[in-house]
Amino acid sequence: MISAPQGTQSGTKTRILNAAEKFFGEKGFDGTSLRDITTEAQVNLAAVNYHFQSKETLMDAVIERRIAPVNQRRMEMLDAAGPSPTVEQVVEAFVSPLFVMDVLPAVPLIGRVLSNPSQFFERVYKKHLIQVVLRFSDAIAASLPGLPREERFWRLHFMAGSMTHVLALSGVLPLMSGQPVQRGAVLRQLVTFLSAGLRAPVLSPFSEDKK
Amino acid sequence: MISAPQGTQSGTKTRILNAAEKFFGEKGFDGTSLRDITTEAQVNLAAVNYHFQSKETLMDAVIERRIAPVNQRRMEMLDAAGPSPTVEQVVEAFVSPLFVMDVLPAVPLIGRVLSNPSQFFERVYKKHLIQVVLRFSDAIAASLPGLPREERFWRLHFMAGSMTHVLALSGVLPLMSGQPVQRGAVLRQLVTFLSAGLRAPVLSPFSEDKK
DNA sequence: GTACGATTGAAACGAACGTATGATCTCTGC
DNA sequence: GCAGAGATCATACGTTCGTTTCAATCGTAC
């Protein structure tokens, strides 16, 4: 059989993945029909169930294709920052891999999945995110030794929230800003904002009891 | 005809609204069927199209019922803070009205709507949020006179992102925190985080040219 | 108590959905 | 140039969807 190298070529599988990525991101999983996808991809309706087994596993494949490289890059950046990273380095490692060119078409979809509780959120979290969250929690602890565990937990998710919001609304926020948006500029402002938030004074007066 | 006062009573309309709020929040608009709703509400299927005209306008009614009081409270809190509010006062006015008891059942839905681009996001933004965003943009400007307009815009939306993320995942984040969550505690940590983020040093070196 | 508008009820409509089927086409190995 | 596996095709199946219909019921004014 010799399965074709599916990387960059425009075979049926890839065209389906691209179309699914577009529609799932724009209209959500339930709001998208397989006929939407196969029409856009210019493939036969049955091709989806032939190459992927079901609509659900198609969605899994769409997510998998983009999220794995993003998380790999995140880990690399954390590694490169060494054992005592600055807050900025940690934030940058978390956020910037989502602002690179090749992830761009998946940004609305990723934002959507990470913003909404669903079967997919749970799956993605268990398969791809648990390890990332733990690793970044440690990295934040290394960069902010005085921050109690509970505050670290919440601030990490506040950070994730700002990021996913920008991702999910990346199609509509620029229209609201009233001027052309440079991706790099938004990234820099996001890193600045989040770093300052992470560094906010510790709230709990009884601090550091948890190990 | 003398339409019944629909406020707190458990009439057909209210029961539909409550059930719709629950399912739309849990499974999204497209993921919820009218039969889901009418079964939960123990009303006839046709009641939805009789009292509301369509599934879409039902969603509008569900949102309207909760968002109007929230925004009213936000404005009141800004008014109470006077013409020179602190950053904390602005953030608190923006966030805390969503953490009160009566909005609680609508929190997942509000988070979902504000996290995803959709027909409803656009409608809600135009009808309920544009004025709020403008008002809060001014309030941030008053509390942080040195912040250029563009950075103000983005930081406001970073703030909205953290908030909607906590709202949308309010059903799942507490399970991840590993310990019981006090709503008030999360609110205080959110205000601390966001206030520090808003106060972050200004990035753009050419600052303040826009009026 | 009777008339009448407001509401509820059971049932059905056509449309769109995800998926399955079986025939046909394509391409490679020999 | 033929065999056969992999891929694509048109088409149909059974379900579920939002909405509509129309008769039955309710509640109030007279």
Side-chain angles (χ1 to χ4, degrees):
Chain A
M1 60 129 200
I2 307 177
S3 74
Q6 63 151 115
T8 160
Q9 92 188 32
S10 127
T12 301
K13 278 183 86 165
T14 305
R15 290 216 309 285
I16 292 176
L17 284 173
N18 291 342
E21 181 171 88
K22 173 185 167 185
F23 279 109
F24 286 157
E26 284 176 5
K27 314 200 298 173
F29 180 76
D30 292 314
T32 300
S33 73
L34 292 184
R35 286 165 178 83
D36 289 337
I37 294 172
T38 54
T39 301
E40 166 88 7
Q42 294 187 256
V43 301
N44 189 272
L45 174 59
V48 169
N49 291 283
Y50 176 77
H51 286 285
F52 311 87
Q53 297 93 313
S54 68
K55 190 185 179 187
E56 263 199 36
T57 45
L58 168 62
M59 175 65 137
D60 288 339
V62 171
I63 296 172
E64 177 89 28
R65 179 172 69 147
R66 302 298 190 188
I67 261 206
V70 166
N71 284 338
Q72 189 180 331
R73 181 82 187 112
R74 280 170 162 167
M75 297 306 200
E76 286 170 11
M77 291 183 70
L78 270 198
D79 289 342
S84 300
T86 66
V87 175
E88 275 77 9
Q89 283 178 313
V90 176
V91 174
E92 182 116 14
F94 188 72
V95 171
S96 73
L98 283 156
F99 282 72
V100 302
M101 187 77 79
D102 14 329
V103 205
L104 214 78
V107 152
L109 172 63
I110 294 177
R112 196 179 277 268
V113 170
L114 298 186
S115 302
N116 294 115
S118 72
Q119 39 177 341
F120 302 110
F121 177 87
E122 305 219 3
R123 269 210 285 276
V124 168
Y125 187 78
K126 281 184 186 157
K127 186 165 181 189
H128 298 282
L129 284 182
I130 273 193
Q131 38 180 352
V132 173
V133 166
L134 290 178
R135 181 74 200 284
F136 272 87
S137 186
D138 289 347
I140 294 175
S143 70
L144 292 167
L147 194 65
R149 163 193 281 270
E150 194 190 339
E151 306 206 14
R152 210 191 329 149
F153 171 85
W154 286 109
R155 290 184 188 186
L156 174 55
H157 287 288
F158 297 156
M159 172 166 78
S162 291
M163 187 199 65
T164 59
H165 194 249
V166 173
L167 298 182
L169 299 187
S170 61
V172 48
L173 273 185
L175 303 176
M176 291 160 44
S177 87
Q179 51 196 315
V181 172
Q182 295 196 18
R183 221 163 48 252
V186 176
L187 175 59
R188 283 205 320 279
Q189 300 196 16
L190 186 53
V191 171
T192 303
F193 179 90
L194 294 177
S195 300
L198 285 177
R199 272 199 256 259
V202 169
L203 243 180
S204 51
F206 17 75
S207 71
E208 204 64 5
D209 37 79
K210 300 283 179 37
K211 89 125 286 213
Chain B
M1 59 128 202
I2 307 177
S3 74
Q6 63 152 115
T8 161
Q9 93 191 29
S10 128
T12 300
K13 280 182 86 162
T14 305
R15 290 216 308 286
I16 292 176
L17 285 173
N18 291 341
E21 182 170 87
K22 173 185 166 186
F23 279 109
F24 286 156
E26 286 176 5
K27 314 200 296 169
F29 179 76
D30 293 314
T32 300
S33 74
L34 292 183
R35 287 166 177 85
D36 288 338
I37 295 172
T38 54
T39 301
E40 164 90 6
Q42 293 187 258
V43 302
N44 188 273
L45 174 61
V48 169
N49 291 285
Y50 176 77
H51 286 287
F52 311 87
Q53 298 94 310
S54 68
K55 189 186 179 187
E56 262 199 38
T57 45
L58 167 62
M59 175 63 138
D60 288 339
V62 170
I63 297 173
E64 175 89 28
R65 180 172 68 147
R66 303 298 190 189
I67 261 205
V70 166
N71 284 338
Q72 189 179 331
R73 181 83 187 111
R74 280 170 162 167
M75 298 305 201
E76 286 170 10
M77 290 183 71
L78 270 198
D79 289 342
S84 299
T86 65
V87 175
E88 276 76 10
Q89 282 177 313
V90 176
V91 175
E92 182 116 14
F94 188 73
V95 171
S96 72
L98 283 157
F99 282 71
V100 302
M101 187 75 81
D102 12 329
V103 206
L104 214 76
V107 153
L109 173 64
I110 295 176
R112 198 179 276 269
V113 170
L114 298 186
S115 302
N116 296 113
S118 73
Q119 39 178 339
F120 302 111
F121 177 87
E122 305 219 3
R123 268 211 285 275
V124 166
Y125 187 78
K126 281 184 185 158
K127 185 164 183 191
H128 298 282
L129 283 182
I130 272 194
Q131 39 181 349
V132 173
V133 166
L134 289 178
R135 181 75 200 283
F136 272 86
S137 186
D138 289 346
I140 293 175
S143 69
L144 291 167
L147 194 65
R149 164 194 279 269
E150 194 190 339
E151 308 208 12
R152 212 193 325 152
F153 170 84
W154 286 109
R155 292 184 186 186
L156 174 56
H157 286 288
F158 297 157
M159 171 166 80
S162 292
M163 188 198 66
T164 58
H165 194 249
V166 173
L167 298 182
L169 298 187
S170 62
V172 49
L173 274 184
L175 304 175
M176 292 161 43
S177 88
Q179 52 196 315
V181 173
Q182 294 196 18
R183 219 164 48 251
V186 177
L187 174 59
R188 283 205 320 278
Q189 301 196 16
L190 187 53
V191 171
T192 302
F193 179 91
L194 294 176
S195 300
L198 285 178
R199 272 199 257 259
V202 169
L203 243 179
S204 53
F206 16 73
S207 71
E208 204 64 7
D209 36 80
K210 302 281 179 36
K211 91 121 285 216

